[in-house]
Structure formats: structure tokens, C-alpha cells
Amino acid sequence: MTTHLTHWGAFEAVSDGRRLTEVRPWSGDPEPMPLIENVASAQHHPTRIDRPHIRRGWLEHGPGAPGRGDEPFVPVSWDRAFELLSGELRRVYDEFGAESVYGGSYGWASAGRFHHAQSQVHRFLNCLGGYVRHVNSYSMGTSTVLLPHILGDLYWMLGNFTAKSVITEHTELIVAFGGLSPKNAAVTPGGVSRHHTRGWLAEARANGCRVVSVTPLRDDTPAEAGAEWLASRPGSDAALMLALAQVLDAEGLADNDFLARYTVGYDRFAAYLRGESDGVVKDPRWAEAITGVPADRIRALAHEMAAARTLVTVSWSLQRARYGEQPVWLGVVLAAMLGQIGLPGGGFGHGYGSTGSVGEPTRRLGVPRLAQGVNPVETFIPVARISDMLLNPGASYDYNGQRLVYPDIRLVYWCGGNPFHHHQDLARLRRAFARPDTIVVHDAFWTASARHADIVLPSTMTIERDDYGAGENDRMFFPMPALTRPHGEARDDYAIFAELSESLGVGKEFTEGRTAEEWLRDLYEQWRADLSARGTTMPSFDEFWAGEGITLPVAEPGQVVFADFRADPDAHPLTTPTGRIEIFSETIDGFGYADCPGHPVWLEPEEWLGGAAAQRFPLQLIANQPRTKLHSQLDVGAHSQSVKVAGREPVRLHPDEASARGLRDGDVVRLFNDRGSCLAGLVVDDAVRPGIAQLSTGAWYDPDPSDPTFCRHGNPNVLTADRPSSTLSQGSTGQLCLVQLEAFTGELPDLAVSAAPETLPVCD
């Protein structure tokens, strides 16, 4: 058995050289994930890309030829692909410069640290002169911008949030806005070696900790937590949190000494709570009308929070919505009003249940990885604004206090990731992808991104190449020797870029004269030497490669975030402008953004169940992360396919909603709104609040040839709106939108995504 690593966990495998013959969870994982079943079953699926392909129109008519996403592909040799691609890269860089190249890659393609697609493509483009980059992420782009203004750097916090072991020992009440989802906690960039979400929550419960899960989905928190379910309306969390704060303020439950010493701006926020600034008291009765949660329960919960050691935690899902800054900011404010920030088991958390790394002891050591080099191009976009960029070259927009201009992108180079999974309003993204002269994609599979490219180069899966890996803040560092030979003519991204860089005259800069195997050894041995100089001994590369992994040192048990700040805020100030928790932010207020003022507020979303739009589209779509895959990765795998209904992604609906529409479990249904429509397979489930249609992301986009707004497979992002969380963050809002749902009565269309696209005879 050989151990290998994925973003959702480690597994052990046996191979016959061509395929995996046995796959089982890593023996060290107490709660292994069934997602590993996707790996072996997907490797030789018909949607694997077996050799380089060029879109017919681009091949015959050159860059900018129309037809992207609609035309067949022409298989070519590697030599021909390199000739065409290197010539196009020379043309674009020479005629338009580096600011005309967008270096895509969302970075999730490989759990390995050397064959990390984002590092590879960015290093390559930096050797050519740079590229337009993205900042932030779809997962937490809103929080990444907001939190430095009011609490501190999010990435620092993610590695230092209070340890789960401390929570199980000290916390008496967890109020989890957005729940504590075990499916999301199963995943971390780079991998999770030991899953234990159910275990630590069961231990906390055994120690007397109560959990209140505020979410429209009961199973957002595992049964082991024994959670009370408060099924609030989606998008209304800010109103509920304001009402909790109003009770704390009005009934003398707020810790005024903490507020005075550790925060700034409470008086201005309190005036809003009390209705002094707008005439509306944000009390529980006001919140009940918005959230659907009874006023008496809101008032009682506020008292319970004040009487217990309470952790207020907010999932990343809440900030992936219109005005997503507000519930995150209010989570910080509630924790400050309780006065428990910096105490063991109390305070604020963001991401427990959103990723496996939050609450793990801080890892003391990094791991070897390939340097990306220096990008001399300063131009960037917030990642969720790619359609805006491509459709509006030269247009100006606001972001985090800056006035920026969208560049004129002529070439998109995407390596790792699938924007037709992450992005919203896919018909609009499809129009945006039609604009550049050339789109280049490296991928192992015919994803929607590959099908909307001009030059498609087949890359290996992790099981087909040598690498090593460790998850973000995970204590295990695994060797990852190749388990099988590559599928077809697939090549490692490094091998592709090495040959391209040589033909473009920058081979020495990209490879530094090393093969991939030499890079792995040299990076490891340099890492080992650096650690040795600091007194830490690691095995030689050969010993590491022959073993089953290294356990890396982590912080001592008892990690409590902001403990130093609480002990002495003057000696250990926060990294905010004032060094304190900013309940009112002069900086944000100074930007003058109406959709994100200087303190947290309730702002009514355009699409929610309490608004006028719900008269036409009476269901709130929750487009959350899937259970059977990571994002859209390996959607063709056996585990992902096992939950499909008539080949479509499942949509969950409360029994009352199904009955009102005359629907039964297993029916194929159509979800629609003004942006688009899709088919899905119905699952009737009372774990979903009435008024909700829960359709996870991840189904490969399968547009009808005559109507790209209609997805035959069940991708919810034909329905979601491509609008930002706010002007401040320009973050993704893909979690929520309004839809209607009805029985599908026509002839069930075939799926194109289960096979490779149409190809023409080989052209060399």
C-alpha cells in the first residue's frame, strides 16, 4: 500500500501500474471521507483529456475567432501545440504587454506542493514578464477585506483560532451562525490527515457544552453536537444578531468594561441599536418579522449567551451573500459585548465547520514549495470580478477604498481550477469568455472551462506524478510517489511549462536547470538544511520518500486566540488602524460606501424571502458546497455519481413545498429565475426549512446548445447573480438567490458532460 494525499484526506492504494486496484482510507484518519472513491473511478473516465486539442475556429482562423464553447476540437501533437501556443504568447506579450494577460488558476487542482498548478502557471508567466492577478477568494473574499479593518488579518486568525481541545474543555455554549458543517470541515487546501469534527463536538457535548445552530439546514451541524436548530430565513442573520445585541445593551448584559478598554466606536453602534439614528429599535420583535425566529427565543438566547462561556462563530457561507460583511462584523461585535474575546473557549470564531484547519494547533513549520517569482505587474482584480473585467475593459470600479480600472485582457491562461464552477451567472461568464483573443487551459478533464478554451493541454492527476504534500496547518507531511503512469499523453504542468519556457527563451529562468525529480529533492534538502540550522532535525529525502510521512511540530495545547491582546492591549495591539476592535470603523466610514457603512447594520438583500422579488420566485436557493466532491473536482467519480437522480444533481426540498407542487422524491424538476434555469433530481427532506431549495454547487455546467442559460445537469450558478457582496470587498455572493421550482415534463435531455466533446480528425 502506498499513501497519497488529496484536499479531502489521505488514502492508501495499490496499483497495477495503469490504474488503482484498491483504495482505502489512510489508517491514521479517525473519520475518513468517502470522497476518496472518486479518485480511482475517475482516472480513466471518458472525460479525461488524452492529448492536446485546439478549437477548430481558432486553429483555422486564428486568435479571436468566434465560436468558443460551441465548436469541436482538433487533436494535435504536443509539438504542434507548443508551436501554436508559444507563437501566441509571443504575439500577445509583444503587441499588448503583460497587462493583457490574465493568469488564472484558483489553486485547488493539486494537493501536492510542487505540482501545485497555481504556483506553476504564475512562475511561468512571471518569467515572461508578469500577468494580471486576482486577490482574495470565492470562499472568504468578503471577510478577507473586512476583518483587517475591524479585528485583524484573517489569514493570521485562521492559523491561531482557539484550539478545538480548548473549546471542548471550556466552552459552555456555541452559537454557530451557519452551523458547523462536517462536509466543509472535511476539506483543507493541501489536505486533511485526521478528520475529527464529529469527535470533538461529541466530546464538547459530553462535557456539557450546548450548541445552537442558526441555519436553514438542520444537518449543517452533525447529530453528535445535539444542537438546537434555529431555522432562520436565509440572509437574515444580521437582523437576528442585531436583536441579540439590542437585548444585551438594553438589559444591562453587555460587558461595558471590556468595551471601554478593548474596542472603539460602541456608542455610535449602540445609537443605531436603540433607534436613535433611524427611529427603529432593533429589538427581538423587529427581528422576528425579518428572521422568522420567535422574539421570546431571541431574548432568551441573549441571556443564555451572557450567562455562559460562549463562542460566537460565523461560517464562511454567510459572507458569500449580498451584504455578507454585516453578519461577520456583528459576530465580532456580539463577542465583544459579551466580553469574552481572549478567554479560553469564548469569543469569536470564523470558519469552524468551514474548513478542517480552523481550530487546529498552529503548525510551527512550513513545508517545501516552488517559488512563484516576482510579478512586476501591479494590476489585479478581486477574484469574483472576472466577468466584469473581461466584459468591461477600461471601466473603473471601487474596491476597499481604491479606485481601480479593469485591464484589457487579450489572453487568459488557466491552470488548475474551474471558473465555471466557482463563478456566478454562468451565461454571463460564457459571454465574458468569448471576448479574449485566446484562452488556454491545462486540465485533466473536459470540464466546462476546458470546453470554453482555444488551446487545451492534458495535465496529469496527482496519482500520476511524484510530489509531496501537507494540508494548510496540518501536522502531517506526506510523500506522494506516483501510483500509476499518466492517462494517454497527459503531462505534468511543470513538464509543459519547461518546454514552453525553453521555446520562448526563458527556460533557464523557469527550470533553473532542474527536472521535476531534482526540484523535489533539492527543495526538500534546502528545507531540511534550514531547519537544521534552527535546531530541528528531519530525515534525509531518501528516508522521507521511503517512509509514510513526517509528523510536524505544532503549538502547545491550549491555544487561545487574542489572549495576549486581552492580557495587555497596549503591549499587544491588534493590527487594526486603532489597535483595538473596531465596532465603528472610521476607515470604512470614510470610504462612503452606502452598501457597507461605518458600523454593522441590517441591509435588505435584493433577493430574499422577505422581499418583493419572492412574490415571483418564492424559494430561496441555497447553493452550498457539495457533500460528494470538492467543488466540482471529480464530479464524474463513483461517489459523486452515486447521489445523482436521473443523472442530475440532487435538490432538496421540504415535504410541504414538494406536496404543494405535486412533487415526489425522485422526480426531475426545473429550477428557474430571470437569469436562467437548470434541471435537478428531487430529494424530499425535512432537514431543509420550508421555503428553501438546496442545490449544491459542483455539477459540471452542461448548457443546452440553443440556450446557455439552461443547464441540463444541475449547476446552480446559472441561477445565481453576479453581483458583489458590497463595494468594499467586491466578494462573491454565490450562496443565495431566489428561484421557482416545478416538475419537468418534457423529454429528458441527454447530458453532454459525461463524454468528451466532439473532435475532428487529428491535425499535425
Side-chain angles (χ1 to χ4, degrees):
M1 282 297 218
T2 302
T3 304
H4 205 74
L5 186 62
T6 69
H7 293 297
W8 56 86
F11 65 88
E12 299 166 352
V14 174
S15 167
D16 64 7
R18 181 177 180 271
R19 65 176 66 245
L20 304 185
T21 58
E22 183 181 353
V23 176
R24 68 187 185 197
W26 179 52
S27 57
D29 191 346
E31 297 177 17
M33 303 305 298
L35 276 68
I36 61 170
E37 297 172 18
N38 285 332
V39 179
S41 55
Q43 185 187 10
H44 296 295
H45 191 271
T47 55
R48 279 301 301 269
I49 306 172
D50 61 352
R51 63 183 301 171
H53 288 75
I54 311 294
R55 179 172 65 87
R56 181 181 65 184
W58 193 97
L59 184 63
E60 294 177 352
H61 304 293
R68 193 172 289 139
D70 294 323
E71 291 188 329
F73 287 85
V74 180
V76 299
S77 67
W78 275 105
D79 287 344
R80 180 67 170 143
F82 285 135
E83 176 189 1
L84 291 167
L85 179 51
S86 60
E88 177 62 356
L89 286 165
R90 283 194 194 96
R91 182 188 75 86
V92 171
Y93 273 94
D94 289 348
E95 293 185 18
F96 303 104
E99 288 201 15
S100 69
V101 176
Y102 181 67
S105 178
Y106 199 52
W108 278 97
S110 171
R113 293 301 86 195
F114 175 73
H115 292 293
H116 177 241
Q118 186 180 82
S119 300
Q120 294 283 345
V121 67
H122 290 171
R123 179 183 176 90
F124 170 69
L125 295 176
N126 283 336
C127 291
L128 297 181
Y131 60 96
V132 174
R133 62 191 169 91
H134 74 252
V135 297
N136 310 328
S137 70
Y138 283 91
S139 296
M140 51 185 181
T142 298
S143 296
T144 304
V145 177
L146 170 72
L147 286 171
H149 292 294
I150 66 167
L151 189 61
D153 179 74
L154 174 59
Y155 288 96
W156 176 86
M157 283 185 263
L158 292 178
N160 290 276
F161 273 126
T162 299
K164 295 163 187 169
S165 59
V166 174
I167 297 172
T168 61
E169 182 179 355
H170 294 281
T171 305
E172 297 170 311
L173 175 63
I174 299 174
V175 183
F177 293 93
L180 296 163
S181 175
K183 65 179 175 59
N184 294 348
V187 176
T188 292
V192 181
S193 59
R194 296 176 175 87
H195 297 90
H196 62 110
T197 297
R198 300 180 187 279
W200 79 262
L201 285 170
E203 183 180 353
R205 182 185 183 188
N207 289 341
C209 179
R210 291 178 51 235
V211 176
V212 177
S213 182
V214 185
T215 166
L217 307 175
R218 184 174 62 221
D219 50 9
D220 264 346
T221 300
E224 288 82 354
E228 176 188 357
W229 182 27
L230 290 187
S232 59
R233 288 193 183 102
S236 69
D237 299 85
L240 175 59
M241 297 161 98
L242 283 166
L244 291 169
Q246 190 274 336
V247 174
L248 296 177
D249 177 72
E251 301 188 21
L253 301 174
D255 188 331
N256 291 312
D257 290 339
F258 184 93
L259 292 170
R261 187 178 186 198
Y262 297 97
T263 76
V264 295
Y266 178 71
D267 288 347
R268 297 187 67 166
F269 171 71
Y272 173 75
L273 281 183
R274 299 162 187 165
E276 296 169 5
S277 57
D278 63 359
V280 178
V281 179
K282 313 307 180 297
D283 61 15
R285 191 168 299 281
W286 166 82
E288 179 179 358
I290 296 171
T291 66
V293 178
D296 289 346
R297 184 67 197 102
I298 297 173
R299 182 171 290 103
L301 179 58
H303 281 264
E304 293 163 16
M305 293 167 71
R309 180 63 57 86
T310 300
L311 175 66
V312 178
T313 182
V314 180
S315 79
W316 294 351
S317 62
L318 298 192
Q319 52 90 63
R320 292 182 61 247
R322 193 72 164 123
Y323 312 128
E325 292 83 1
Q326 305 310 313
V328 177
W329 201 340
L330 283 162
V332 174
V333 172
L334 280 174
M337 292 179 73
L338 295 172
Q340 297 183 23
I341 292 175
L343 291 178
F348 172 73
H350 190 36
Y352 294 97
S354 298
T355 182
S357 60
V358 171
E360 295 300 306
T362 303
R363 193 174 69 202
R364 297 292 194 189
L365 304 176
V367 295
R369 61 185 66 209
L370 182 68
Q372 296 185 17
V374 176
N375 183 2
V377 175
E378 296 182 356
T379 305
F380 68 89
I381 62 165
V383 67
R385 302 274 62 80
I386 183 172
S387 288
D388 287 354
M389 174 185 71
L390 295 178
L391 291 168
N392 302 291
S396 59
Y397 67 102
D398 292 302
Y399 163 74
N400 199 20
Q402 305 171 67
R403 189 73 170 167
L404 303 174
V405 175
Y406 288 123
D408 186 0
I409 296 299
R410 298 300 181 122
L411 184 145
V412 173
Y413 208 127
W414 210 286
C415 179
N418 178 12
F420 281 87
H421 160 74
H422 291 288
H423 205 68
Q424 284 66 65
D425 196 346
L426 293 184
R428 183 172 188 259
L429 179 64
R430 196 171 189 264
R431 294 196 301 274
F433 258 52
R435 190 188 171 278
D437 293 347
T438 300
I439 294 179
V440 186
V441 167
H442 295 200
D443 210 319
F445 294 87
W446 282 109
T447 63
S449 298
R451 293 169 194 255
H452 286 81
D454 301 304
I455 300 175
V456 180
L457 303 180
S459 59
T460 51
M461 295 175 66
T462 58
I463 59 176
E464 298 167 345
R465 59 196 182 212
D466 290 339
D467 209 339
Y468 37 57
E472 188 176 86
N473 206 36
D474 195 273
R475 65 183 67 190
M476 288 301 301
F477 181 30
F478 289 104
M480 298 169 58
L483 302 176
T484 77
R485 60 179 178 269
H487 175 86
E489 297 180 21
R491 297 187 183 184
D492 302 343
D493 294 317
Y494 178 77
I496 297 171
F497 287 129
E499 188 154 347
L500 268 177
S501 63
E502 191 66 33
S503 68
L504 290 164
V506 292
K508 183 178 180 180
E509 290 85 345
F510 181 77
T511 68
E512 299 183 23
R514 295 179 177 93
T515 65
E517 291 72 20
E518 288 168 339
W519 270 112
L520 287 171
R521 181 179 293 273
D522 291 352
L523 288 171
Y524 180 92
E525 289 295 356
Q526 182 60 57
W527 173 76
R528 179 178 175 236
D530 291 344
L531 294 180
S532 178
R534 290 183 278 159
T536 300
T537 301
M538 289 292 172
S540 70
F541 178 80
D542 290 332
E543 292 173 304
F544 165 71
W545 197 251
E548 296 185 359
I550 298 171
T551 301
L552 301 172
V554 298
E556 294 298 319
Q559 175 176 303
V560 177
V561 70
F562 300 121
D564 289 344
F565 169 68
R566 184 184 186 91
D568 191 336
D570 296 317
H572 302 283
L574 303 179
T575 56
T576 61
T578 60
R580 298 296 193 266
I581 299 165
E582 301 211 2
I583 295 175
F584 179 90
S585 167
E586 294 283 358
T587 301
I588 294 176
D589 189 60
F591 295 155
Y593 301 148
D595 55 4
C596 191
H599 62 72
V601 296
W602 161 248
L603 297 169
E604 182 177 343
E606 293 88 346
E607 298 187 39
W608 75 297
L609 293 176
Q615 298 299 311
R616 293 181 60 216
F617 301 110
L619 293 173
Q620 186 90 64
L621 176 69
I622 297 180
N624 61 353
Q625 297 300 325
R627 298 175 185 275
T628 57
K629 49 189 170 280
L630 166 60
H631 300 314
S632 65
Q633 284 190 25
L634 307 183
D635 186 32
V636 294
H639 185 57
S640 180
Q641 291 293 312
S642 71
V643 304
K644 305 275 186 179
V645 179
R648 324 290 150 161
E649 198 70 11
V651 58
R652 292 199 297 171
L653 202 64
H654 189 274
D656 292 348
E657 298 290 354
S659 176
R661 291 165 174 79
L663 299 171
R664 295 182 299 176
D665 200 84
D667 285 349
V668 175
V669 297
R670 173 178 172 262
L671 293 85
F672 62 95
N673 59 21
D674 288 336
R675 285 177 293 272
S677 62
C678 68
L679 300 184
L682 183 63
V683 175
V684 180
D685 191 345
D686 66 2
V688 178
R689 184 191 191 278
I692 303 301
Q694 182 261 307
L695 175 62
S696 293
T697 60
W700 286 2
Y701 174 49
D702 194 354
D704 185 273
S706 63
D707 181 7
T709 69
F710 172 43
C711 176
R712 299 169 290 190
H713 190 204
N715 189 316
N717 280 325
V718 295
L719 303 163
T720 54
D722 189 10
R723 63 168 69 100
S725 175
S726 75
T727 309
L728 176 73
S729 69
Q730 296 288 347
S732 166
T733 59
Q735 183 79 5
L736 302 174
C737 70
L738 289 177
V739 300
Q740 179 57 289
L741 184 151
E742 63 185 12
F744 179 73
T745 56
E747 182 179 351
L748 198 61
D750 292 334
L751 295 173
V753 292
S754 57
E758 179 187 356
T759 58
L760 300 177
V762 174
C763 176
D764 284 331

